[in-house]
């Protein structure tokens, strides 16, 4: 749709400007840090910009206007900065996530820690290349988080309504804490010797889904944008009730893509979540439908980093045959339905609500 395509282009342009400004401000340090900023620039190219889009639509749902003419340019510039702050934070989270998961690729190219390890080898540095790669990527993530905070603060400083600025800051801060805690829960989950009893495992897998991804991917961006527009508690409540089920649907789709996705589309190897041993809702539901013998075989294969293509296909077929894939598709549809109901009688701009629903449907069905 033209509106979101234009917004994605504007977000990319502003991100490029932010990196160029940072590069200029840091140039007195010398040329040695160039690979760090080069990787930041490359990592921030492309992407669907869903978080940026949801933030802007959250703002417009409350502000009641899609007008971006000269009279509203100052306000929209602040909103665009906030959208870029979310994209910078998201990039930082992905860089760190790839280190944690020991991922080799991201978006069809080498993950950042692999990129820096390659720089180490190409330049003949002393020491361990992989350790250098991880250290450099951790610092890249830290740098992106710093830029995210700077960019958000610039956006909030431009708002005339200080209460609105404070509300947006509180949502942003809460989001950062929840993502870190959710990521820890995800790491912790993989340390357990075995899957828990089904209901306990399903609750734990759902909690990781909500706090690592669902809230920060969809709900938090909408609430930050709405808060910037001076949303009332009732408006924030309706948008929160919309954003959470959309976020759940978004992550459930991501879990399906992590098992069944096309590498040419997702930029990650098909079945990546299976080799990494992710205890997702999808995998938890699949195990529920297996007899004890096949379940032991499934558990032995799940999380084995040496799985070959045939073993991955066996796990994929097993998940489909248990009906877990179909159940997750039903859960996705159900959550999108809950989201629509949440905005059915909300006191929000009708055009923005329609755009939010359209974007929610895209987020839930992307690359399906």
């Amino acid at each position: 749709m033209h509106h979101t395509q234009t917004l994605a282009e504007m977000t990319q342009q502003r991100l490029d400007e932010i990196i160029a400004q940072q590069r200029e401000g840091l140039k007195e340090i010398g040329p040695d840090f160039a690979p760090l900023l080069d990787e930041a620039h490359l990592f921030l190219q492309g992407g669907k910009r869903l978080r940026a889009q949801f933030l802007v639509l959250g703002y417009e749902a409350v502000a009641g206007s899609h007008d971006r003419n000269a009279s509203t340019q100052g306000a929209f510039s602040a909103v665009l900065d906030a959208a870029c702050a979310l994209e910078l934070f998201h990039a930082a989270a992905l860089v760190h996530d790839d280190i944690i998961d020991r991922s080799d690729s991201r978006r069809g190219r080498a993950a950042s820690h692999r990129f820096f390890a390659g720089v180490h080898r190409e330049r003949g540095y002393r020491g361990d290349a992989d350790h250098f790669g991880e250290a450099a990527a951790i610092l890249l993530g830290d740098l992106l988080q710093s830029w995210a905070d700077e960019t958000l603060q610039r956006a909030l400083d431009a708002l005339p309504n200080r209460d609105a600025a404070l509300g947006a800051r509180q949502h942003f801060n809460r989001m950062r804490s929840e993502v870190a805690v959710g990521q820890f829960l995800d790491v912790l989950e993989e340390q357990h010797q075995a899957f828990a009893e089904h209901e306990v495992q399903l609750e734990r897998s759902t909690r990781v889904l909500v706090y690592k991804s669902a809230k920060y991917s969809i709900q938090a961006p909408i609430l930050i944008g709405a808060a910037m527009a001076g949303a009332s508690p009732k408006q924030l409540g309706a948008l929160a009730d919309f954003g959470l089920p959309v976020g759940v649907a978004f992550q459930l789709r991501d879990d399906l893509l992590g098992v069944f996705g096309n590498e040419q589309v997702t930029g990650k190897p098909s079945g990546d979540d299976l080799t990494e041993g992710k205890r997702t809702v999808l995998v938890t539901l699949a195990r529920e439908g297996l007899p004890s013998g096949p379940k032991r075989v499934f558990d032995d294969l799940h999380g084995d980093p040496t799985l070959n293509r045939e073993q991955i296909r066996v796990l994929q077929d097993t998940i489909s045959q248990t009906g877990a894939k179909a159940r997750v598709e039903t859960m996705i549809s159900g959550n999108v339905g809950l989201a629509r109901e949440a905005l059915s009688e909300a006191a929000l701009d009708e055009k923005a609500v329609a755009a939010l629903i359209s974007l929610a449907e895209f987020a839930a069905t992307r690359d399906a």
Side-chain angles (χ1 to χ4, degrees), residues 295-312:
K295 184 180 293 185
R296 283 195 296 273
V297 174
F298 183 94
D299 290 352
D300 286 342
L301 291 174
H302 183 253
D304 182 349
T306 67
L307 290 178
N308 58 38
R309 296 309 309 165
E310 179 59 23
Q311 290 170 315
I312 289 173

Side-chain angles (χ1 to χ4, degrees), residues 10-72:
M10 295 170 74
T11 302
Q12 186 63 62
Q13 181 179 351
R14 182 65 61 89
L15 286 169
D16 290 343
E17 291 170 356
I18 289 168
I19 295 172
Q21 290 164 2
Q22 293 289 349
R23 192 186 295 271
E24 178 66 21
L26 294 168
K27 69 178 182 180
E28 66 182 44
I29 297 175
D32 291 344
F33 71 95
L36 196 66
L37 269 66
D38 291 344
E39 175 64 2
H41 180 258
L42 287 172
F43 198 89
L44 284 160
Q45 299 302 303
K48 297 179 176 65
R49 306 301 182 203
L50 287 176
R51 290 158 188 83
Q53 293 180 41
F54 275 115
L55 185 146
V56 172
L57 289 174
Y59 176 88
E60 292 180 341
V62 175
S65 173
H66 289 262
D67 186 13
R68 294 179 187 158
N69 60 28
S71 65
T72 62

Side-chain angles (χ1 to χ4, degrees), residues 14 37 111 130 136 196 260-261 329-330 352:
R14 182 65 61 89
L37 269 66
D130 289 336
F260 299 103
E329 289 285 5
T330 299

